[in-house]
Amino acid sequence: MPGSEDGRTVTKADEESTSKLDKSSSKTGAWQCSICTYENDQYLVSCDACGVFRDFPGKSGSRDEENVNGTSKKSEVSLLGRSLFDRPPNSMPKVAGGFLCNEAGKSCGARLISAQLSDLHKMFLAPSRSQTNHIVILIEPFRFDAPSLDDIVSSGKSSRTFPKGMNLEISHDKPGKKGLVEVLQDNEVPESFPPSSFPNNHNEFENSNPSSFEDEPHMLANNLQSLKLEKHSPKSRNIKAKSNAEYKPEEWMFPDKEGTLSQLNLAIVGHVDSGKSTLSGRLLHLLGQISNKQMHRYEREAKQKGKGSFAYAWALDESIEERERGITMTVAVAYFLTKKYRVVLLDSPGHRDFVPNMISGSTQADAAVLVIDASLGAFEAGMGGKSVGQTKEHAQLIRSFGVEQLIVTVNKMDQVDFSKDRFDYIKLQLGHFLRTCGFKESLVTWIPLSALENQNLLTTASDIRLSCWYQGYCLLDAIDSLQSPHRDVLKPFLLPICDVISKYSSGQVTACGKIETGAIRIGSKVLVMPSGDPAIVRNIERDSSTCNVARAGDNVVVSLHGVDQGQVIQGGVLCHPDFPVTIASSLELKILILDIATPIIIGSQVELHIHHAKQAAKVVKVLSLLDPKTGSAAKKSPRMLVARQRAIVEVALEGEICVEEFSNCRALGRVFLRALGSTIAVGIVTRILQEA
């Protein structure tokens, strides 16, 4: 009975099935593919034309799970390497490790020999070199101790994972993500190709069999040498950031000194029904931003709905739902000019249900106008009594945005007969609260006015009942009296995305927001975070007009090219390609607890707001309670936090968020915690604990 070198027995049936291979083709020493009818050499196991496995005659059986000459089929080698030891499906003879040999290009007939992994390496890892016109082409074959490219593609289409110990790193940051391949630099060597595996001289090629490689494409082998699997790539946001100290702004980024107006982002905030939208609409109409024809149309439509007093508000509340309910629901944006500023007006909603929209829009503010309803009972409702009214909450939020300059307009003075006593009472009550929020008296301006009666808006009051006791600023002069905000163009470009407009027909995506630092121009390259996708600025609009350059402080609409529309999201950030923002999932915060009824404990569920982003979060640790005077730790690990306390806490986010430490970037380092429809704490990011 025939035998083999390793002592295994080759059955008679196996010899007969192998002998039939010679009869599978009309050509001696060749077999014909059953799919494409291509005639292949006898020693080939699969078709050289279409790659289909050779159809070995004989009975089929279960796959042999035993060792192949001491090498297990389940060992940590690539799937491609194991497939060469395994028999083709359904018909391969059950012979361990057998394959057809070919010596000096001659067929060995039906003789089967045993093979070990080392034999396979000698056959398939023998380098091949061909010379054409004295040009040497070096083909580096695939090594079977690492997964092949086919394995990588297969792993992306299934949940199969590679065994431990392989020289392979695949990104599994998110379920369903495929492994990512990154091209190496010219002077780098892949880990799966150690230098010892490369031939050093021409003699190593002489003993190899060139026929086994002559049909392999040279490009594939070269690609195998130049590819390396990495755990992260720019797509997975592991982008090496440079220090801001390395950034050097270009000359075009600096603002012109030719008497151009500075931009001022002015937020209009206050309690619901205090007259914010009416004040804004009236101011825009008086400044010529709303034509008389438009104003007549608003008045006619408002009267038809039985809301004649809402005519000026309809200039900003444009949606059907806002007009039917008579409240502002989103932040409306308008523009006007003064003697000193190009003002961007941000009319914020006052209803408590839409405070998240107010936070998202008004976080861009440089200064604010706090509108107070002077009518009896309305001011008291805004202060909230024992609870927190929207006047209090808006004042706390505005201060937390970093706004230091505040104009307090006591509106609807005509309903209290322009009473000086009522104005002084409001100033006394509210002034004390504003001081507790951190506003300085020197930076707070108080103005009594009536928006509907046009008293004290553009000019001083004409009504004697007001002018007899008030001779201060009108609203427009008070805006011009504000100090110019600082614009930092010396830092890399940074724009938190407030809103996104997608035009699916043209494939264009547009991001809106305020440039916090740096500058951009048409053609600039930017990085879209948190996705990490690069993009090119196609167009820039400022104040509804196209411009070539936009700098820090400008509210702009940026059209992007070369990025997928789904990657540009509200709450994301556009930044300099070399200075990406941090993506975090766990933060350390320094917070001030507001007037809350329910204490904050470990495990409390909150909603974290930062610039234009919001994310569900959980308080996982209360590190320390801070002394309100010194700011030092007064108590370690308190059990709970109650109203008006300051503390250091750790929060874990359910998702990812673009954030920076407050010391590095103030705009991306201010946070607000909300729960049960109200703001419970404000603070800053002191440390990023876990980057995504």
Side-chain angles (χ1 to χ4, degrees):
M1 182 179 295
S4 61
E5 294 178 1
D6 62 347
R8 293 180 181 267
T9 302
V10 181
T11 63
K12 184 177 182 180
D14 294 331
E15 289 184 342
E16 292 176 355
S17 62
T18 308
S19 64
K20 294 179 182 179
L21 297 177
D22 293 333
K23 302 178 182 180
S24 61
S25 174
S26 59
K27 181 180 176 181
T28 304
W31 59 275
Q32 190 177 59
C33 177
S34 60
I35 302 299
C36 65
T37 70
Y38 181 78
E39 292 189 351
N40 300 275
D41 290 334
Q42 178 70 25
Y43 64 87
L44 293 177
V45 181
S46 61
C47 179
D48 198 21
C50 64
V52 174
F53 278 111
R54 180 177 180 179
D55 187 13
F56 286 86
K59 60 183 180 180
S60 62
S62 60
R63 292 181 177 268
D64 187 9
E65 298 294 342
E66 298 178 359
N67 289 353
V68 181
N69 290 354
T71 303
S72 172
K73 290 183 181 181
K74 294 185 179 294
S75 63
E76 296 173 359
V77 297
S78 74
L79 301 181
L80 180 59
R82 295 203 302 270
S83 67
L84 293 174
F85 290 102
D86 207 356
R87 55 186 166 79
N90 301 328
S91 59
M92 187 72 176
K94 192 175 181 180
V95 179
F99 65 91
L100 298 177
C101 73
N102 182 28
E103 297 178 357
K106 297 181 181 180
S107 175
C108 293
R111 183 167 61 89
L112 295 174
I113 65 173
S114 63
Q116 295 183 351
L117 184 61
S118 58
D119 299 326
L120 185 67
H121 277 209
K122 291 178 181 179
M123 176 176 181
F124 287 93
L125 291 183
S128 175
R129 175 176 292 184
S130 60
Q131 295 186 358
T132 304
N133 296 332
H134 303 287
I135 299 177
V136 178
I137 301 176
L138 176 62
I139 302 177
E140 296 300 339
F142 179 73
R143 293 178 60 85
F144 295 97
D145 56 355
S148 68
L149 296 180
D150 292 335
D151 298 340
I152 300 166
V153 175
S154 300
S155 69
K157 297 180 179 179
S158 66
S159 59
R160 173 175 56 79
T161 57
F162 294 102
K164 293 182 179 180
M166 280 193 176
N167 189 15
L168 174 69
E169 294 180 353
I170 297 180
S171 175
H172 290 290
D173 291 342
K174 293 184 179 180
K177 288 286 185 182
K178 297 182 180 181
L180 299 172
V181 180
E182 182 177 340
V183 180
L184 293 175
Q185 301 295 331
D186 295 337
N187 58 350
E188 295 181 7
V189 178
E191 294 178 2
S192 57
F193 290 92
S196 59
S197 65
F198 297 140
N200 296 324
N201 52 59
H202 179 70
N203 295 331
E204 297 185 24
F205 295 95
E206 294 179 353
N207 297 327
S208 62
N209 184 6
S211 62
S212 61
F213 298 103
E214 60 187 4
D215 295 328
E216 292 294 326
H218 294 240
M219 185 61 69
L220 175 60
N222 291 335
N223 287 342
L224 287 175
Q225 181 180 349
S226 61
L227 294 179
K228 179 182 179 182
L229 297 176
E230 293 290 349
K231 184 175 182 180
H232 296 289
S233 73
K235 191 75 173 180
S236 61
R237 303 184 306 272
N238 187 23
I239 306 169
K240 185 177 180 181
K242 298 180 180 180
S243 170
N244 285 350
E246 302 177 21
Y247 179 73
K248 294 182 179 180
E250 302 178 31
E251 293 184 3
W252 61 268
M253 297 181 177
F254 294 95
D256 300 328
K257 299 181 180 180
E258 298 179 357
T260 56
L261 297 177
S262 301
Q263 178 160 311
L264 179 71
N265 300 299
L266 187 67
I268 310 296
V269 299
H271 189 62
V272 63
D273 292 334
S274 61
K276 299 183 298 298
S277 296
T278 299
L279 174 63
S280 301
R282 182 73 166 179
L283 189 63
L284 292 172
H285 179 238
L286 293 173
L287 291 171
Q289 299 300 311
I290 301 175
S291 65
N292 291 330
K293 182 179 180 180
Q294 288 177 308
M295 199 64 241
H296 287 317
R297 180 166 61 86
Y298 294 144
E299 291 174 352
R300 183 178 67 254
E301 292 174 352
K303 288 179 181 179
Q304 291 175 354
K305 297 289 185 178
K307 299 180 179 180
S309 61
F310 286 80
Y312 289 106
W314 281 20
L316 295 167
D317 298 340
E318 297 180 346
S319 70
I320 297 176
E321 188 175 1
E322 285 179 320
R323 293 184 176 184
E324 288 180 351
R325 297 182 59 178
I327 59 174
T328 302
M329 301 172 64
T330 59
V331 176
V333 181
Y335 310 92
F336 64 88
L337 301 178
T338 68
K339 297 177 181 178
K340 185 178 178 181
Y341 293 114
R342 184 177 68 250
V343 179
V344 178
L345 189 70
L346 305 169
D347 181 29
S348 306
H351 197 281
R352 62 176 299 168
D353 291 346
F354 306 107
V355 170
N357 295 343
M358 176 264 180
I359 294 175
S360 178
S362 299
T363 188
Q364 309 173 49
D366 300 313
V369 175
L370 179 61
V371 182
I372 306 298
D373 188 346
S375 56
L376 297 176
F379 167 70
E380 289 75 11
M383 295 299 290
K386 294 183 180 180
S387 62
V388 179
Q390 297 312 113
T391 299
K392 280 186 174 181
E393 185 173 6
H394 281 212
Q396 291 169 334
L397 289 173
I398 280 293
R399 186 65 188 92
S400 300
F401 295 156
V403 173
E404 297 180 348
Q405 302 181 86
L406 183 67
I407 300 174
V408 181
T409 59
V410 183
N411 191 24
K412 302 184 181 180
M413 286 294 293
D414 56 304
Q415 295 189 14
V416 294
D417 200 25
F418 295 100
S419 170
K420 182 178 184 298
D421 293 337
R422 180 64 174 171
F423 176 78
D424 291 339
Y425 172 78
I426 293 173
K427 184 176 180 180
L428 179 64
Q429 296 292 323
L430 183 59
H432 174 71
F433 176 76
L434 293 178
R435 286 191 294 273
T436 63
C437 293
F439 287 102
K440 298 179 180 179
E441 291 187 21
S442 59
L443 299 177
V444 178
T445 304
W446 299 82
I447 303 176
L449 53 80
S450 174
L452 276 178
E453 298 294 330
N454 188 20
Q455 295 296 319
N456 227 15
L457 294 181
L458 297 188
T459 58
T460 55
S462 58
D463 194 307
I464 189 62
R465 293 175 295 176
L466 179 58
S467 61
C468 67
W469 58 268
Y470 179 78
Q471 289 83 31
Y473 285 125
C474 65
L475 179 57
L476 192 64
D477 291 341
I479 293 174
D480 275 334
S481 69
L482 297 173
Q483 300 176 8
S484 299
H486 173 67
R487 306 303 188 193
D488 194 352
V489 297
L490 300 180
K491 291 183 178 180
F493 169 71
L494 186 67
L495 185 148
I497 301 175
C498 176
D499 197 9
V500 178
I501 304 172
S502 297
K503 297 181 180 179
Y504 293 97
S505 59
S506 61
Q508 183 176 340
V509 60
T510 301
C512 311
K514 173 190 173 185
I515 301 177
E516 295 293 343
T517 58
I520 56 169
R521 60 181 175 182
I522 296 176
S524 297
K525 294 181 180 179
V526 298
L527 200 64
V528 180
M529 301 296 283
S531 67
D533 291 333
I536 298 177
V537 177
R538 174 182 288 180
N539 188 40
I540 303 174
E541 289 187 11
R542 183 182 59 202
D543 302 347
S544 301
S545 59
T546 303
C547 61
N548 294 325
V549 180
R551 301 178 178 87
D554 291 342
N555 279 73
V556 294
V557 178
V558 181
S559 299
L560 301 175
H561 174 68
V563 64
D564 185 76
Q565 297 182 7
Q567 303 299 337
V568 185
I569 60 174
Q570 181 181 1
V573 173
L574 300 182
C575 58
H576 194 286
D578 296 332
F579 301 88
V581 299
T582 305
I583 311 299
S585 58
S586 181
L587 304 171
E588 181 186 272
L589 309 178
K590 180 179 180 181
I591 59 174
L592 167 66
I593 313 301
L594 303 182
D595 296 325
I596 59 175
T598 304
I600 299 175
I601 61 175
I602 295 176
S604 295
Q605 299 289 334
V606 297
E607 188 177 58
L608 184 142
H609 292 252
I610 183 166
H611 54 91
H612 306 294
K614 62 180 178 180
Q615 190 65 246
K618 181 174 68 174
V619 179
V620 296
K621 189 180 294 185
V622 181
L623 297 176
S624 61
L625 200 62
L626 302 180
D627 185 281
K629 294 182 179 180
T630 63
S632 58
K635 183 180 180 181
K636 299 290 185 181
S637 303
R639 294 180 57 190
M640 65 180 66
L641 299 175
V642 297
R644 314 311 300 175
Q645 287 185 333
R646 301 172 187 267
I648 302 292
V649 299
E650 289 184 10
V651 295
L653 309 179
E654 288 189 3
E656 304 168 352
I657 203 167
C658 297
V659 64
E660 290 288 351
E661 294 180 2
F662 182 77
S663 58
N664 297 330
C665 180
R666 295 193 172 190
L668 267 62
R670 303 182 188 274
V671 296
F672 315 93
L673 303 182
R674 290 178 55 81
L676 302 176
S678 61
T679 305
I680 62 174
V682 296
I684 60 175
V685 178
T686 55
R687 192 155 57 101
I688 296 175
L689 301 177
Q690 182 177 352
E691 297 185 14

